[in-house]
Amino acid sequence: AVMAAYNEINHVPAVLNPELKTVLKDKWGLGFVITDGGDFSQNVTSHHAFASHAQSLAACLHAGTDIMLDDEGCVTAAARKALADGLITEEDLDTAVGNMLESRFLLGLFDAETPYDHLTRADVNTEADRALNRRAAREGIVLLDNPAGTLPLESAVQNRIGLFGQNADRCLKDWYTGYSDYLCTIRNGLEECGCDVVYDCGWDIVKLKAPNGKFVCIGEDDFLYADTDEEHAAEFYLCELDDDGAWTNLCHVQTGRFVNGCGMFPKLSGTEVYDWMTGESLRLAWSERLQGCIFSDRLCGKVFSVGEGGLVMTKYLAHPDRSCVFHMISVSDGWERMTALAKTCHAVLYCGGSDPMQVARECFDRRSIALPAVQREHLQKLSESLAETGIPLIHVLVSSYPYAMEEQIQQADATLWTCHAGPELGHAVADVIFGAYNPAGRLPQTWYPDDECLPPIGNYDIMQTEMTCRWYRGEVLFPFGYGLSYSRFDYVLQYIKFIPEGIHITVKVTNTSLRDGEEVVQVYARALSDRVKRPVVQLVGFTRLEVPAGQMRKAKLTIPLSELEIWDVTRERFCLETGDYEILIGASSRDIRCRQTLHIEGEEIPPRDLHQTVKAEFWDEQYRTELHTDPQTGKVQVRGLEGWHSQISFRNCCTDDITQITLRGAAPNCETEVQMYLDNENTPAAKIVLPVCDGFSDIQEVTAPFMPPRGVHCLRLVFPQYTCIESFRCQ
């Protein structure tokens, strides 16, 4: 089954995409499709794709969506009305219900007995389960930098560990994660290894002076009261998770509980932030005009103020005034505490990274890929204070995504990255730090050096923007597939040969170090043809290989030829194109150790037959256009963006025996001229005039003379803003 996304694809909600049926179901045999929570009604309320829920439900069913995960009353009323109005039939309903029931039957939910009936709590969280958790956490750790061999540490002589940072003593659940019966933080893992751990989270500690001149304390009811003096005021960790104060937490130092500002009266909640509605996420803004800090809850925007009896409350305030100004009085500086403690240790671990529930998650994007300013400052201060001591600084990054942190890599003696790896995070990190496990994890994405490398976040055309390892040619911080080891490996290509299953590759991998290790041998490929734009490299296979110290093992991989297929837009199918291909074998997408060029016999993609209908959406190149899907028909249109002229190009077009062209399109604003050019010529070979029409869906069919020279050419269609083109055909 598939749950369709909330977002739109080609300006139409994903739940209405016709490929749910034509591709996922008809071609791939999918069972059923369900909307995301509350997404059915959003077709009307948020996407505005339809004026009524009945129309929306009919379109969902016809597109292939079976289950509307939404308010029961809304869905039921929509179904009854759609049925009464003839928008759907009982057969449509039977099909949707049947698709869901079929999956339930296949799952055995109606069987008299299943293999799972007798499972108990004793079958959960077993020693085998914990061992598998630990293995997954270990294998996911990536050693990013270790230039002087600082890692692994020697536990016998480097056992007093300074452990600092926001993720040093937290084992956070990621978005949509499972719950565990146990958690092992990095601090726990190091302590279980017998380390003397010197710990500090590193956040600044502050007291809050309220608008009424009193200080904030915590009442017995857990609410915040501004009714005490500075000496008796509550102390809070100021957790600044981003650079502009948009994601800030106040954590009560004494109890470790967070202030939740989502209600009418802020109060202490739990010791972790984990909910869809993260009321602990506060926005902190400094007011230059009022010379003070303004706190507001992140989700609703209500500002903190003080009510009767000193009770801290929230209220809507369009224009902040002195009734909502707080002053933060510093109790202690986080980096000062850390740097003082660090000098008493044998080694220092700084554990930064992200909180999966805040800053960047479903519904929210990061403003920058830079490491947050507080973490940058912490690493810089620690690096400076330890520079002449010989005490190594190890940066352990625990995050849900990559960061740009070139300076921080230089400041640390070694750098590790791990995701929020579940309950065994602490054991896994300790295993790697002290060499009980030799890291072999690899990065599953490209890490870019700064924000300037990135296109606008809403531009998903990675071929045009040349993003990801498949297309990016610029400098990277770390490439796709990157990861170091405590061992060193040499590669020798033994042979590459064709077998019925594809391309068989054997590589000799020798561990030239004194430590047993694992190597992830990666195979990439690139087509040497320039007929159409092809990826710089693409991953086609990999294998993880255990190689004892000083020994050689053979990595054997078979790459199916289907991995080299491309989508032929001219015939709307995948094909393997005849030509030369370079096979690259290495330790990452940019650490290639062996390469060989092969000639592969596939098929020649014929020139476009212009006597057949050419869909505008299947251009080879475009400039200033967007794709729009009609939610009723499923047909895709190309529309010109506001501003200068737009363009779509079609390569490899056969222009033999052509005298005219028929174009289907729409000109909703005024009579519009579409010009067709051949190759790089500056004079149009044809002009098609679209009459003004009644909106984008009012497609007109216009024929014009077109007598190009015989041969194979590139066709360019140039048209003004808002012009809509669906297809064209020549006679």
Side-chain angles (χ1 to χ4, degrees):
V2 160
M3 174 178 278
Y6 280 120
N7 57 275
E8 296 177 0
I9 302 170
N10 298 344
H11 296 275
V12 169
V15 294
L16 301 176
N17 192 299
E19 291 182 350
L20 293 172
K21 183 178 187 303
T22 59
V23 176
L24 296 187
K25 288 185 173 181
D26 295 347
K27 290 186 178 180
W28 297 352
L30 184 78
F32 66 88
V33 177
I34 184 171
T35 74
D36 208 334
D39 196 30
F40 164 70
S41 58
Q42 291 184 151
N43 290 337
V44 172
T45 60
S46 297
H47 297 291
H48 308 296
F50 293 98
S52 79
H53 293 306
Q55 293 173 324
S56 171
L57 185 134
C60 284
L61 292 178
H62 295 153
T65 302
D66 302 296
I67 301 173
M68 315 304 156
L69 184 59
D70 212 316
D71 179 78
E72 181 181 357
C74 173
V75 177
T76 301
R80 292 187 184 281
K81 189 173 190 304
L83 195 61
D85 292 351
L87 300 176
I88 61 173
T89 65
E90 289 191 10
E91 287 74 20
D92 292 328
L93 297 174
D94 288 343
T95 298
V97 173
N99 289 338
M100 182 270 295
L101 287 175
E102 179 186 35
S103 293
R104 294 185 67 188
F105 275 106
L106 292 172
L107 286 169
L109 298 182
F110 300 103
D111 293 352
E113 185 175 358
T114 76
Y116 312 106
D117 292 344
H118 306 294
L119 292 178
T120 68
R121 289 292 298 177
D123 299 297
V124 180
N125 192 21
T126 64
E127 288 302 314
D129 294 337
R130 293 190 176 211
L132 184 60
N133 271 343
R134 190 164 185 164
R135 177 188 169 193
R138 288 166 125 190
E139 292 189 5
I141 293 177
V142 182
L143 178 59
L144 295 177
D145 195 50
N146 193 30
T150 301
L151 292 178
L153 300 179
E154 297 182 43
S155 58
V157 296
Q158 294 174 297
N159 62 349
R160 183 173 169 82
I161 304 297
L163 182 66
F164 311 121
Q166 68 182 60
N167 288 327
D169 195 28
R170 299 201 298 174
C171 202
L172 298 175
K173 295 188 285 291
D174 216 323
W175 197 240
Y176 285 116
T177 195
Y179 289 80
S180 178
D181 289 340
Y182 72 104
L183 297 173
C184 179
T185 69
I186 295 175
R187 181 181 183 180
N188 300 149
L190 294 174
E191 288 175 341
E192 288 186 27
C193 289
C195 293
D196 177 13
V197 176
V198 179
Y199 166 75
D200 194 297
C201 64
W203 296 121
D204 292 347
I205 299 176
V206 298
K207 294 181 178 182
L208 300 181
K209 187 176 182 180
N212 63 0
K214 299 288 188 177
F215 281 79
V216 173
C217 65
I218 307 299
E220 294 182 359
D221 53 6
D222 288 335
F223 288 103
L224 276 61
Y225 291 87
D227 64 356
T228 192
D229 56 24
E230 183 173 356
E231 181 182 356
H232 298 93
E235 296 182 350
F236 298 97
Y237 287 117
L238 182 66
C239 312
E240 298 178 277
L241 303 177
D242 69 337
D243 286 0
D244 56 9
W247 296 89
T248 302
N249 306 140
L250 289 174
C251 182
H252 187 219
V253 173
Q254 182 179 352
T255 63
R257 298 166 66 190
F258 289 92
V259 174
N260 187 312
C262 206
M264 183 176 293
F265 303 103
K267 64 179 300 186
L268 293 186
S269 58
T271 57
E272 67 174 343
V273 180
Y274 193 77
D275 200 350
W276 175 271
M277 305 290 283
T278 55
E280 299 84 0
S281 302
L282 308 177
R283 184 186 293 275
L284 172 61
W286 169 261
S287 172
E288 193 67 36
R289 175 174 60 89
L290 300 173
Q291 290 294 295
C293 299
I294 299 173
F295 288 93
S296 57
D297 78 282
R298 181 68 178 77
L299 300 177
C300 301
K302 293 192 294 183
V303 299
F304 285 23
S305 185
V306 177
E308 294 183 7
L311 180 62
V312 178
M313 59 180 293
T314 61
K315 63 180 180 180
Y316 292 107
L317 198 64
H319 305 288
D321 56 30
R322 296 196 179 280
S323 70
C324 61
V325 173
F326 288 76
H327 293 275
M328 289 189 296
I329 310 301
S330 177
V331 175
S332 73
D333 189 291
W335 70 260
E336 288 183 349
R337 298 196 310 270
M338 287 189 296
T339 52
L341 292 171
K343 294 178 181 179
T344 69
C345 301
H346 299 139
V348 171
L349 269 64
Y350 181 80
C351 303
S354 71
D355 181 326
M357 298 303 301
Q358 302 182 89
V359 182
R361 43 161 271 201
E362 185 173 352
C363 297
F364 300 102
D365 296 311
R366 286 187 288 171
R367 294 176 180 267
S368 170
I369 62 172
L371 203 65
V374 170
Q375 296 183 45
R376 299 198 303 269
E377 181 185 73
H378 286 174
L379 283 164
Q380 179 183 350
K381 297 295 185 182
L382 284 169
S383 177
E384 291 172 353
S385 66
L386 297 177
E388 305 299 326
T389 67
I391 301 171
L393 171 60
I394 299 150
H395 185 193
V396 180
L397 189 68
V398 186
S399 76
S400 310
Y401 34 71
Y403 283 104
M405 51 178 200
E406 187 170 3
E407 288 187 22
Q408 290 70 49
I409 293 292
Q410 302 302 320
Q411 291 164 353
D413 295 291
T415 305
L416 293 172
W417 174 82
T418 174
C419 66
H420 296 274
E424 290 286 346
L425 169 68
H427 289 142
V429 169
D431 288 345
V432 170
I433 291 294
F434 290 111
Y437 179 75
N438 190 348
R442 297 295 186 266
L443 293 179
Q445 69 278 93
T446 301
W447 287 38
Y448 301 98
D450 53 48
D451 293 343
E452 293 180 1
C453 299
L454 307 178
I457 198 168
N459 190 339
Y460 301 119
D461 188 345
I462 63 170
M463 183 171 73
Q464 184 184 52
T465 59
E466 297 188 341
M467 297 307 295
T468 78
C469 75
R470 292 170 63 90
W471 305 100
Y472 190 71
R473 300 175 185 272
E475 293 297 318
V476 300
L477 181 61
F478 298 111
F480 174 90
Y482 175 88
L484 302 178
S485 168
Y486 297 151
S487 303
R488 298 181 302 278
F489 302 93
D490 285 345
Y491 287 54
V492 175
L493 177 61
Q494 186 171 16
Y495 59 77
I496 296 181
K497 64 180 180 180
F498 291 102
I499 61 174
E501 292 78 18
I503 303 170
H504 187 68
I505 301 170
T506 299
V507 182
K508 294 180 179 178
V509 180
T510 301
N511 185 341
T512 61
S513 71
L514 300 177
R515 183 184 293 271
D516 296 347
E518 297 174 314
E519 177 72 343
V520 180
V521 179
Q522 302 163 46
V523 180
Y524 297 85
R526 67 186 185 97
L528 301 181
S529 165
D530 61 357
R531 189 190 62 81
V532 295
K533 189 172 182 178
R534 299 289 289 267
V536 177
V537 293
Q538 64 185 86
L539 181 69
V540 294
F542 67 92
T543 186
R544 195 179 186 109
L545 193 69
E546 293 184 9
V547 188
Q551 297 189 31
M552 183 274 290
R553 292 290 185 268
K554 292 182 180 181
K556 299 181 179 181
L557 304 94
T558 299
I559 310 302
L561 292 179
S562 59
E563 290 287 340
L564 303 176
E565 291 181 344
I566 62 170
W567 179 257
D568 176 17
V569 296
T570 68
R571 296 174 294 173
E572 299 184 45
R573 66 176 178 84
F574 282 101
C575 72
L576 176 64
E577 193 174 14
T578 296
D580 292 336
Y581 294 80
E582 188 172 29
I583 307 300
L584 307 105
I585 302 141
S588 81
S589 58
R590 296 202 176 186
D591 183 5
I592 303 302
R593 310 293 182 86
C594 319
R595 62 181 71 213
Q596 186 164 318
T597 299
L598 300 177
H599 182 79
I600 297 177
E601 289 294 333
E603 59 180 305
E604 298 287 345
I605 297 179
R608 291 181 188 260
D609 182 1
L610 298 186
H611 292 90
Q612 304 294 321
T613 297
V614 177
K615 296 179 182 178
E617 64 179 294
F618 291 141
W619 43 256
D620 289 306
E621 294 169 346
Q622 66 85 28
Y623 174 71
R624 293 192 57 78
T625 70
E626 285 186 334
L627 298 177
H628 285 255
T629 300
D630 187 318
Q632 298 282 13
T633 65
K635 291 184 177 180
V636 180
Q637 308 165 347
V638 175
R639 295 183 188 175
L641 292 174
E642 181 179 358
W644 298 104
H645 281 57
S646 302
Q647 177 176 298
I648 50 177
S649 300
F650 302 85
R651 294 184 182 180
N652 204 32
C653 296
C654 179
T655 57
D656 295 350
D657 305 320
I658 290 175
T659 60
Q660 63 182 21
I661 181 171
T662 299
L663 183 140
R664 287 177 54 80
N669 278 8
C670 60
E671 184 178 272
T672 295
E673 183 178 82
V674 179
Q675 298 179 340
M676 178 168 285
Y677 295 83
L678 291 178
D679 303 319
N680 295 319
E681 294 181 0
N682 295 321
T683 303
K687 297 180 179 179
I688 306 105
V689 178
L690 288 171
V692 64
C693 64
D694 186 26
F696 289 114
S697 61
D698 185 18
I699 299 295
Q700 307 290 310
E701 189 168 285
V702 179
T703 300
F706 179 43
M707 291 177 285
R710 297 171 64 88
V712 177
H713 300 275
C714 174
L715 269 59
R716 292 182 291 123
L717 275 66
V718 179
F719 44 92
Q721 63 182 6
Y722 305 130
T723 305
C724 165
I725 299 177
E726 185 177 281
S727 64
F728 65 89
R729 179 171 50 86
C730 297
Q731 297 90 27

